[in-house]
Amino acid sequence: MSKVEFKNISKRFGSFLANDDISFGISGNTVHCIVGENGAGKSTLMNILFGLMKPDSGEIIIADKPVVFSSPHEAITAKIGMVHQHFMLIDDFTVLENVILGDEPVKGLSLDLKAAKEKVDALIFQYKLDINSSEKVTDLSISMQQKVEILKLLYRDSEILIFDEPTAVLSPVEVSSFFKMITSFKESGKTVIVITHKLNEVREIADKVSVLRKGRLVYEADNVSGNIDINELSKAIIGGAELIKIRPKSNSNSMKKPLLRLVDVSLVRGKRKMLDGLSLELFNGEILGIAGVEGNGQSELADIVCGIEREFTGTVELPDERASIVPDDRLKKGMIKEFSIGENLVLKKDGNSLHRMSTLRKASEEVIAEYEVRAPGPDIKTGSLSGGNQQKVVIAREIASGRSVMIFSHPTRGVDINAEMFIHSEIVKERNKGKAILLISSDMEELLSLSDRLSVIYKGKIERTFDSNELYAESQMPEQQDHRKEMLINEIGKLMTGVSN
Amino acid sequence: MSHHSKANTLSVLLSLIFTFMILTILILLIGKDPVEVYSLIYNDVFTSGYGIGQTLFKATPLIFIACGLAICFHASLFNIGAEGQLNAGSFVIALTAVQIESLPLILKLLICACAGFAAAGLVGLIPAVTKVKKGVSEVISTIMMNFVVLAVINYRMVDFFAVKSTLRTVSIGDDSLLGKASDLFPFFEGSSLNVSFIAALVVAALVYILIYKTTFGYKLRAVGFNETASRYIGVKVNKMILTSFFVGAGITALVGINYIFGYKGYYELGFSNNIGFTAIAVSLLAKNNPVGIIFSSILFAALDYGGLAVNQLIPKEVMLVVQGLIILSILSSDSIVQSYFKKRGLI
């Protein structure tokens, strides 16, 4: 019997299908890993289980009863707890105060701190959490803070514990002690759900694995004593079974010269080393793909190349003052949503000049026509356009700015298939004009179909770069090609997840 | 009219109606007849040339300051330091004018305006630099700069520049004073309205063009809407912060032209009477739109002058209550109207 059962869960954001008819069960007393790329729908599914979102259709069944949570509070009452990727702690409170916040024991009118401390300390002892309940959170390391989050769940007697990317913030030693903790929860009868994309971790802790891709459940497997097939799993995650559609030719006869060169670049944010001696070269007329699990230094790399991040060590050589960038989050970083298309274009201008309504409108109309933007009129605020059309506006603006190095960071995330094809052809067009393009993506198909060379980034370093004759062999038979590609994807998948060493 | 400007107009109207209702209740509570009070205000402010002249005269500095502040506010920079900035500017204007007494009036005005602009601008630049370099909140630093600037002026005044046993500078001389409106139009007889009011209208028009029609203005508002995106798009955000603070603070100095050249002929400690704070409300009420600022300045000036007119019936401090109420109600009516429009998918 399943402890939790998802039945035909679907969830749509605008035109984007985040969860597409997902059904599976999670047994009690197990560690169940949910695996998939960014945007595969893992977090959406967990947010639905935790009451942060409501599904458009389908239902969740817990202990044979269908439940509908309209808030996390109701989920917590049903003994479900979640540790988010970003901790939700109050720095100036002690561990104890953080744990009991929202569920404080009272004696008469006053807080019964003594009883609370006894209960919390007992839990710390029982699960060997090795943490002092009277210390302030601000003095704790990240892994200790994670333990506080876990204590919050235990204090509320949660039976089902959800962890969203729990090891992303931990060092290897901390990871192994975290795994021990997970095992002890399972042994004490709890159900643990872990969202992750690190495959060696899955092999180590999972009893069962479910793989999501593009909102669908594509693969399920049991993991008996660590014998799960990593190759099968990585193929399921990145969808290697589907054929690569286009292999754009780069014009190899033009003289190659490096436009962008990074040598031994390191960057520390807070206490974490985000880039660790990274070096790369990017030539004119090529697309260099950057593959990697998100959070391994891709966004820091982009920030440095486009001139926003300056606190790095090492050298960066660029032909212009900065590269232009199509950022990963178009609403937060890509555009001023209160402005029309034409007004967004104004921001690229140097110097100071007057802008008439009519010329701005004309600029909007040109973009709408050239980039097939679906907009009701030239004056519409870019915030009211759909995701794909917003992305086209951002790309139009960055191309128009005419820099020779361009960064595309997750250029087709959350856009529909037509916009995706259009954007891909624009990227290739710019490459053929001789621009140097850095393509950061977590979509393996996108990377393989566009990149002339492909680098795999892991923990702030380029693990390996595949050049074009490694990526593509022209004269082979189709079945050999397929085989080669499968090998390639396996190899990339392992490099990305750090399995290879 | 776009849905956005409809929403803005509606929320301003709502807040004015609400304020008017509360004011009526307040007058009733004091035990006076609202009709009598309102008709007195109306008669005094709007039916005599003197009343209209005084209202416009009081609106002049508000227009200057609020326009300067609007530049900062559009970049989401909460400049609370106008009081200090305008005093520094006016002080320098008064001192400069005395030094160049022999020059022709128009040249004198220009030089003084530039000197004042630079002084006020530099005072505004200090919090901008600490914000850009060290991330110090401009709200705190501009408030603190007010104290610093006023203390420094006080010290220099008392020790060096003040006319004996007063708290004012040497007079710039009667022939340096600007023409009064009543010289041309006897209708305004007795009021202090002068040419600076026209200057204020011109400044408002220029600031309007700067904010809404130029590259600088688009970048300014982009920073205000979304600083992160502005950085990614390639707007030099730090430069924008520094420039908007310098220009915004600089404009507040023009108050000194109205007061020194148009009215008293000298700088006097405490002349500003917290007008730098009132102007924040004026700009807010106008949604930081310079054209709107002209009207909200006149409204606040009318309340100010009207308060004097009805002082025999109700305490003039009631008008301060009204100014505060306008701000409180506009903030709440804003969110009410916004959510009403959003629910209907209009904005």
Side-chain angles (χ1 to χ4, degrees):
Chain A
M1 187 195 85
S2 292
K3 183 99 182 169
V4 181
E5 192 164 346
F6 298 101
K7 252 178 126 176
N8 309 100
I9 300 280
S10 289
K11 175 79 186 172
R12 191 180 273 283
F13 299 107
S15 63
F16 180 67
L17 200 52
N19 280 174
D20 184 3
D21 195 23
I22 294 178
S23 303
F24 68 94
I26 293 174
S27 322
N29 216 351
T30 55
V31 177
H32 194 124
C33 284
I34 298 179
V35 196
E37 288 180 347
N38 281 90
K42 302 165 298 196
S43 299
T44 306
L45 190 66
M46 287 306 113
N47 285 338
I48 289 171
L49 175 58
F50 193 52
L52 282 163
M53 290 173 186
K54 274 189 182 166
D56 295 336
S57 61
E59 57 184 0
I60 293 173
I61 296 169
I62 293 179
D64 289 331
K65 264 186 246 148
V67 290
V68 183
F69 300 134
S70 49
S71 75
H73 186 76
E74 293 178 29
I76 291 166
T77 317
K79 299 203 183 309
I80 299 175
M82 183 160 175
V83 176
H84 297 269
Q85 223 171 330
H86 302 285
F87 301 151
M88 296 166 184
L89 298 170
I90 296 169
D91 280 350
D92 283 336
F93 276 15
T94 63
V95 172
L96 178 68
E97 287 163 342
N98 265 290
V99 169
I100 63 172
L101 189 64
D103 191 13
E104 306 87 351
V106 285
K107 201 158 72 183
L109 281 174
S110 69
L111 211 55
D112 191 358
L113 272 180
K114 199 163 156 265
K117 188 168 165 46
E118 271 167 24
K119 185 172 172 188
V120 170
D121 284 343
L123 285 169
I124 293 175
F125 180 76
Q126 184 190 345
Y127 291 100
K128 302 192 183 64
L129 293 180
D130 191 25
I131 190 171
N132 181 352
S133 62
S134 39
E135 230 175 320
K136 268 193 185 177
V137 163
T138 177
D139 298 329
L140 299 178
S141 68
I142 296 284
S143 68
M144 287 298 205
Q145 292 186 7
Q146 189 179 48
K147 288 181 182 174
V148 182
E149 284 285 1
I150 295 170
L151 260 177
K152 274 159 79 174
L153 311 191
L154 299 174
Y155 182 78
R156 286 161 182 76
D157 300 320
S158 300
E159 291 295 325
I160 300 164
L161 310 176
I162 309 168
F163 293 92
D164 189 0
E165 305 280 354
T167 59
V169 292
L170 302 180
S171 71
V173 185
E174 291 166 339
V175 168
S176 66
S177 80
F178 174 77
F179 287 168
K180 280 195 198 112
M181 210 153 57
I182 294 284
T183 319
S184 74
F185 294 148
K186 187 175 82 174
E187 280 161 2
S188 66
K190 296 186 189 295
T191 305
V192 182
I193 304 173
V194 180
I195 302 177
T196 180
H197 26 218
K198 295 186 182 158
L199 299 188
N200 46 358
E201 293 180 1
V202 173
R203 182 163 56 188
E204 205 170 326
I205 54 167
D207 296 310
K208 216 171 165 204
V209 193
S210 301
V211 179
L212 300 187
R213 188 173 80 239
K214 295 192 172 165
R216 306 188 73 107
L217 178 70
V218 291
Y219 186 78
E220 277 190 289
D222 288 315
N223 182 27
V224 187
S225 59
N227 65 352
I228 197 160
D229 188 343
I230 292 280
N231 286 344
E232 281 282 304
L233 206 56
S234 70
K235 216 168 72 186
I237 291 170
I238 57 187
E242 287 156 51
L243 259 178
I244 296 167
K245 288 154 297 206
I246 39 168
R247 154 78 181 112
K249 277 277 219 200
S250 62
N251 40 347
S252 49
N253 45 356
S254 69
M255 283 291 284
K256 292 274 182 193
K257 55 174 198 277
L259 287 183
L260 168 69
R261 183 186 279 134
L262 275 76
V263 184
D264 201 21
V265 172
S266 294
L267 173 72
V268 178
R269 265 188 194 165
K271 279 178 188 159
R272 288 187 71 200
K273 201 159 196 179
M274 302 310 298
L275 291 180
D276 186 7
L278 180 140
S279 301
L280 64 80
E281 269 187 328
L282 177 60
F283 296 87
N284 62 327
E286 79 160 352
I287 299 171
L288 174 64
I290 302 285
V293 173
E294 207 152 320
N296 277 287
Q298 295 95 318
S299 57
E300 289 75 15
L301 170 65
D303 286 357
I304 285 175
V305 177
C306 77
I308 289 173
E309 179 60 71
R310 291 173 204 279
E311 307 287 309
F312 59 88
T313 59
T315 42
V316 176
E317 289 168 33
L318 258 175
D320 308 307
E321 189 186 351
R322 62 193 293 273
S324 66
I325 181 168
V326 175
D328 47 11
D329 186 333
R330 54 186 161 267
L331 277 177
K332 276 200 195 119
K333 303 177 184 170
M335 51 187 228
I336 306 298
K337 61 180 195 298
E338 292 85 353
F339 281 179
S340 74
I341 299 172
E343 289 172 329
N344 264 287
L345 292 175
V346 169
L347 301 177
K348 281 287 181 187
K349 296 225 175 357
D350 292 326
N352 204 3
S353 51
L354 281 175
H355 300 281
R356 294 159 151 275
M357 201 64 167
S358 55
T359 46
L360 293 179
R361 197 170 286 157
K362 226 177 118 207
S364 299
E365 277 162 355
E366 276 170 24
V367 170
I368 289 173
E370 195 181 335
Y371 288 85
E372 300 168 19
V373 176
R374 264 165 286 161
D379 291 335
I380 188 169
K381 307 267 177 273
T382 47
S384 332
L385 297 171
S386 79
N389 289 309
Q390 288 174 345
Q391 191 72 340
K392 285 178 180 177
V393 171
V394 175
I395 288 173
R397 187 193 63 214
E398 293 306 316
I399 286 177
S401 78
R403 307 268 189 204
S404 51
V405 178
M406 294 189 75
I407 307 163
F408 286 85
S409 184
H410 305 278
T412 56
R413 178 179 283 174
V415 309
D416 61 58
I417 186 77
N418 287 323
E420 182 177 322
M421 279 160 64
F422 187 88
I423 290 167
H424 283 173
S425 75
E426 284 302 316
I427 294 176
V428 171
K429 235 192 261 171
E430 289 310 300
R431 192 271 315 269
N432 291 345
K433 281 188 208 156
K435 288 191 179 168
I437 289 167
L438 196 64
L439 173 66
I440 297 170
S441 178
S442 47
D443 182 341
M444 194 51 68
E445 279 179 55
E446 177 168 86
L447 284 170
L448 285 177
S449 60
L450 293 178
S451 305
D452 296 305
R453 291 188 300 137
L454 182 67
S455 293
V456 181
I457 192 170
Y458 181 69
K459 291 199 170 162
K461 237 190 254 179
I462 300 292
E463 279 291 291
R464 193 177 152 193
T465 301
F466 297 87
D467 50 26
S468 68
N469 50 16
E470 280 178 286
L471 291 178
Y472 314 98
E474 308 269 340
S475 59
Q476 281 172 332
M477 306 292 288
E479 53 271 23
Q480 277 175 306
Q481 286 248 31
D482 280 359
H483 180 67
R484 259 179 55 88
K485 216 190 101 204
E486 220 180 292
M487 300 281 289
L488 193 65
I489 287 172
N490 280 341
E491 177 73 19
I492 294 170
K494 284 181 190 167
L495 287 165
M496 277 169 51
T497 45
V499 180
S500 61
N501 25 7
Chain B
M1 198 154 52
S2 76
H3 288 304
H4 264 283
S5 29
K6 263 188 208 159
N8 280 343
T9 317
L10 188 62
S11 77
V12 170
L13 278 179
L14 272 180
S15 81
L16 290 179
I17 291 168
F18 172 78
T19 308
F20 193 69
M21 277 162 47
I22 300 284
L23 176 61
T24 308
I25 294 170
L26 214 59
I27 295 171
L28 284 172
L29 284 177
I30 293 171
K32 300 288 179 209
D33 179 7
V35 181
E36 195 188 343
V37 173
Y38 290 142
S39 61
L40 193 58
I41 293 180
Y42 176 79
N43 283 331
D44 255 36
V45 179
F46 296 109
T47 58
S48 76
Y50 176 75
I52 295 174
Q54 279 307 89
T55 300
L56 296 183
F57 169 68
K58 281 173 182 289
T60 309
L62 285 173
I63 297 174
F64 280 129
I65 305 166
C67 281
L69 290 177
I71 292 178
C72 297
F73 291 167
H74 270 290
S76 281
L77 297 168
F78 294 101
N79 178 4
I80 317 292
E83 188 73 6
Q85 291 150 13
L86 73 92
N87 268 286
S90 305
F91 187 48
V92 168
I93 286 176
L95 297 184
T96 315
V98 177
Q99 296 300 317
I100 53 172
E101 217 177 341
S102 51
L103 291 179
L105 181 58
I106 188 80
L107 208 58
K108 204 163 18 176
L109 273 175
L110 260 173
I111 294 173
C112 287
C114 288
F117 190 101
L122 286 177
V123 169
L125 212 48
I126 295 171
V129 169
T130 54
K131 181 181 176 69
V132 167
K133 293 282 176 203
K134 293 289 165 204
V136 177
S137 157
E138 77 279 10
V139 177
I140 311 291
S141 56
T142 49
I143 291 176
M144 291 304 145
M145 281 300 289
N146 288 335
F147 296 107
V148 174
V149 171
L150 288 173
V152 169
I153 292 177
N154 202 339
Y155 159 67
R156 299 306 294 175
M157 265 302 252
V158 174
D159 279 14
F160 297 96
F161 297 113
V163 174
K164 242 189 160 35
S165 72
T166 65
L167 283 172
R168 63 180 182 82
T169 59
V170 184
S171 173
I172 61 169
D174 280 352
D175 49 339
S176 291
L177 287 181
L178 290 169
K180 287 214 175 355
S182 48
D183 300 346
L184 272 178
F185 308 98
F187 173 69
F188 292 117
E189 194 55 54
S191 88
S192 311
L193 183 65
N194 61 73
V195 190
S196 343
F197 179 69
I198 306 293
L201 296 184
V202 172
V203 165
L206 289 177
V207 172
Y208 178 87
I209 292 170
L210 180 74
I211 292 175
Y212 292 104
K213 298 288 172 193
T214 65
T215 318
F216 176 83
Y218 276 108
K219 289 182 178 172
L220 180 82
R221 286 183 290 140
V223 172
F225 282 131
N226 186 340
E227 194 185 311
T228 311
S230 302
R231 275 184 211 280
Y232 277 93
I233 295 169
V235 175
K236 296 198 171 66
V237 172
N238 289 350
K239 199 177 120 192
M240 292 307 298
I241 292 175
L242 295 173
T243 330
S244 48
F245 246 115
F246 181 75
V247 175
I251 289 174
T252 66
L254 300 179
V255 176
I257 299 289
N258 180 49
Y259 187 81
I260 296 160
F261 280 90
Y263 181 41
K264 287 279 191 178
Y266 51 77
Y267 172 88
E268 190 175 24
L269 262 190
F271 89 94
S272 54
N273 195 17
N274 286 340
I275 201 171
F277 297 105
T278 313
I280 297 172
V282 169
S283 186
L284 209 61
L285 178 64
K287 305 278 176 180
N288 307 323
N289 180 326
V291 175
I293 282 174
I294 296 174
F295 294 102
S296 60
S297 296
I298 292 174
L299 173 69
F300 269 60
L303 287 173
D304 194 12
Y305 178 66
L308 291 176
V310 294
N311 206 6
Q312 42 182 323
L313 287 175
I314 54 168
K316 68 175 191 301
E317 282 72 19
V318 168
M319 292 305 162
L320 286 179
V321 176
V322 172
Q323 294 181 354
L325 275 175
I326 290 179
I327 298 312
L328 286 178
S329 58
I330 196 155
L331 291 176
S332 22
S333 71
D334 239 14
S335 77
I336 296 169
V337 172
Q338 293 274 345
S339 69
Y340 176 88
F341 274 70
K342 271 200 186 113
K343 244 185 218 156
R344 278 155 191 75
L346 294 173
I347 51 175

